[in-house]
């Protein structure tokens, strides 16, 4: 989060992308994402996210998990109920990030926290299906365990912090 916030502060661009070191995007992704910002209420545009070149059984299982998750994200996008901006790659409107205070320390799931904070401020989050990012997935059980533990602990902290939004239609579905 510190490096991302420093990059945002140093950027002179209208839009900023967060891209993990172990992730790549299809060449046309940015071109396909930018038109969604024609709506000034859009704070972030999200790509479809897939596991990149799974090599072992554990990664292949995660590949299927991501494929199923992207199906649900398509539906969630239509229902205005996106709850997390993929950490591996998301495209943000810079002035909105600055207005909400950029990425917050201590949540261990900054991609979930920023999405909830943007919804809390009533900004729009767009899930597009014509931009794609690929990310590496854990190739050992121990790595997967630590990743999912971090995700679950961060999710719990976010649920507690943003519980006022639960089942409250003022913040989308």
């Amino acid at each position: 989060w510190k490096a991302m916030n420093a990059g945002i502060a140093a950027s002179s661009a209208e839009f900023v992308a967060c891209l993990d070191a172990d992730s790549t995007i299809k060449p046309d992704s940015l071109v396909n994402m930018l038109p969604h910002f024609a709506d000034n209420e859009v704070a972030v545009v999200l790509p479809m996210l897939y596991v990149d070149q799974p090599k072992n059984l554990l990664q292949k299982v995660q590949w299927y998990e991501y494929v199923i998750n992207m199906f649900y994200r398509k539906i969630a996008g239509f229902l205005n109920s996106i709850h997390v901006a993929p950490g591996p790659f998301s495209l943000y409107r810079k002035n909105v990030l600055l207005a909400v205070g950029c990425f917050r320390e201590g949540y261990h799931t900054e991609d979930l926290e920023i999405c909830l904070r943007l919804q809390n401020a009533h900004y729009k989050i767009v899930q597009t299906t014509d931009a794609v990012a690929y990310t590496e997935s854990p190739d050992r059980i121990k790595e997967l365990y630590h990743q999912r533990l971090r995700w679950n602990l961060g999710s719990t902290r976010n649920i507690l912090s943003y519980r006022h939004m639960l089942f409250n239609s003022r913040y989308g579905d």
Side-chain angles (χ1 to χ4, degrees), residues 104-110 113 150 153-154 157-158 161-162:
R104 198 170 275 169
E105 177 184 0
Y107 278 77
H108 307 294
T109 49
E110 71 282 343
E113 194 282 328
R150 180 178 58 83
L153 292 173
R157 179 156 191 196
N158 280 297
S161 295
Y162 293 95

Side-chain angles (χ1 to χ4, degrees), residues 19-79:
L19 179 66
D20 284 355
D22 65 353
S23 302
T24 59
I25 63 172
K26 286 182 94 173
D28 61 351
S29 290
L30 286 173
V31 171
N32 292 334
M33 294 169 87
L34 283 170
H36 295 282
F37 287 104
D39 180 345
N40 288 329
E41 293 180 22
V42 172
V44 59
V45 178
L46 314 174
M48 303 304 283
L49 179 64
Y50 299 102
V51 170
D52 189 26
Q53 302 177 15
K55 294 173 185 65
N56 64 24
L57 179 62
L58 183 61
Q59 289 177 317
K60 288 177 184 177
V61 168
Q62 291 171 80
W63 183 88
Y64 283 108
E65 174 192 23
Y66 276 55
V67 167
I68 292 167
N69 191 27
M70 288 305 104
F71 170 75
Y72 289 125
R73 287 183 70 80
K74 286 181 188 180
I75 294 169
F78 291 124
L79 298 175

